[in-house]
Amino acid sequence: MINICVPVLKRYDLLRLLVQSCRASNVRPDNYYIINNGLNHQALMRALGDFDITIKVHSPARNLGVAASWNWFIKHVPEERVIVNDDIILAPDSLERLLASSADLIWAKGCGFSCFVLRDSCAEKLGTFDEMISPGYGYYEDEDYLQRLDGRGTRSRSAEAEEVDAGVMHPKSSTLQASSHEELLDHHRKFKIAQANYAKKWGLEEAFR
């Protein structure tokens, strides 16, 4: 079973393009799990309501942020779970290429944690994402996970990771491009908070001075 997992905040228009690319895949996803962090049900239905697909929507009371959204998918969605940003575009054979790997953790080349497969074996070895690094938003939770993948941390056990050239397109920073000046300032403030949390956890304060 192939489950596409997408947290969406603002770019419901790009979410629609993502789903269109999934529907053109050589192997069709069985389910689409959407976390509606933007809390805009009407926009979500405008984007996806006319597709003949199985959509399962989780509508939290507030924006969960990136780490908590990813953890929700790990906890509630069975394998194979392909976790993607809403601005990802898949090639027809992207899913085939990604899922052909036997690794615990698989990234699409050039995308990092914007398009990845995290299997149960990886969560068992490395744990889930640290929601306290960037609570309610999304910075440095991926870098924190990479520290554990590199063998640091008391819980870490060896996990196999692979980067796969899957032909995935990712324009980057699509949410920021749709943000106001005030929202951009808030993003920068949250980035610095997450950076400080990450540095303190791993003893990297000097590196960020």
Side-chain angles (χ1 to χ4, degrees), residues 11-195:
R11 301 307 304 267
Y12 297 93
D13 55 332
L14 297 182
L15 174 65
R16 181 177 178 84
L17 297 179
L18 162 65
V19 171
Q20 286 177 335
S21 73
C22 291
R23 297 182 76 233
S25 293
N26 296 340
V27 289
R28 294 283 187 93
D30 296 281
N31 301 293
Y32 295 81
Y33 286 81
I34 311 294
I35 296 183
N36 189 15
N37 280 322
L39 310 179
N40 190 334
H41 182 73
Q42 288 185 337
L44 180 62
M45 289 300 99
R46 282 197 301 270
L48 303 183
D50 60 333
F51 288 135
D52 184 19
I53 57 177
T54 302
I55 305 173
K56 302 184 180 184
V57 180
H58 174 53
S59 297
R62 56 176 176 76
N63 176 12
L64 296 181
V66 172
S69 294
W70 290 347
N71 287 343
W72 190 93
F73 291 136
I74 294 168
K75 180 179 180 180
H76 295 282
V77 180
E79 296 180 347
E80 298 276 9
R81 65 180 79 84
V82 183
I83 303 176
V84 297
N85 283 15
D86 54 19
D87 56 356
I88 286 291
I89 298 293
L90 301 179
D93 61 347
S94 291
L95 293 176
E96 288 177 297
R97 292 196 219 174
L98 287 169
L99 298 176
S101 171
S102 60
D104 303 304
L105 177 62
I106 307 133
W107 298 278
K109 185 177 181 179
C111 296
F113 282 94
S114 295
C115 179
F116 67 104
V117 177
L118 193 151
R119 294 190 165 118
D120 293 340
S121 57
C122 188
E124 290 165 2
K125 294 171 182 177
L126 302 182
T128 54
F129 293 90
D130 187 345
E131 298 176 20
M132 298 310 297
I133 295 287
S134 186
Y137 38 103
Y139 297 106
Y140 280 97
E141 61 284 310
D142 50 353
E143 295 295 330
D144 173 76
Y145 210 77
L146 291 177
Q147 291 281 359
R148 284 179 270 163
L149 183 63
D150 287 340
R152 301 180 180 92
T154 56
R155 284 199 59 189
S156 298
R157 293 190 289 138
S158 177
E160 181 185 358
E162 182 179 1
E163 184 179 61
V164 173
D165 186 355
V168 175
M169 292 190 297
H170 181 219
K172 302 184 185 300
S173 301
S174 298
T175 298
L176 291 180
Q177 292 171 17
S179 298
S180 66
H181 178 67
E182 291 75 17
E183 288 170 330
L184 289 174
L185 291 175
D186 191 45
H187 277 294
H188 180 71
R189 179 184 64 82
K190 291 174 178 177
F191 173 84
K192 299 301 289 187
I193 293 171
Q195 185 181 77

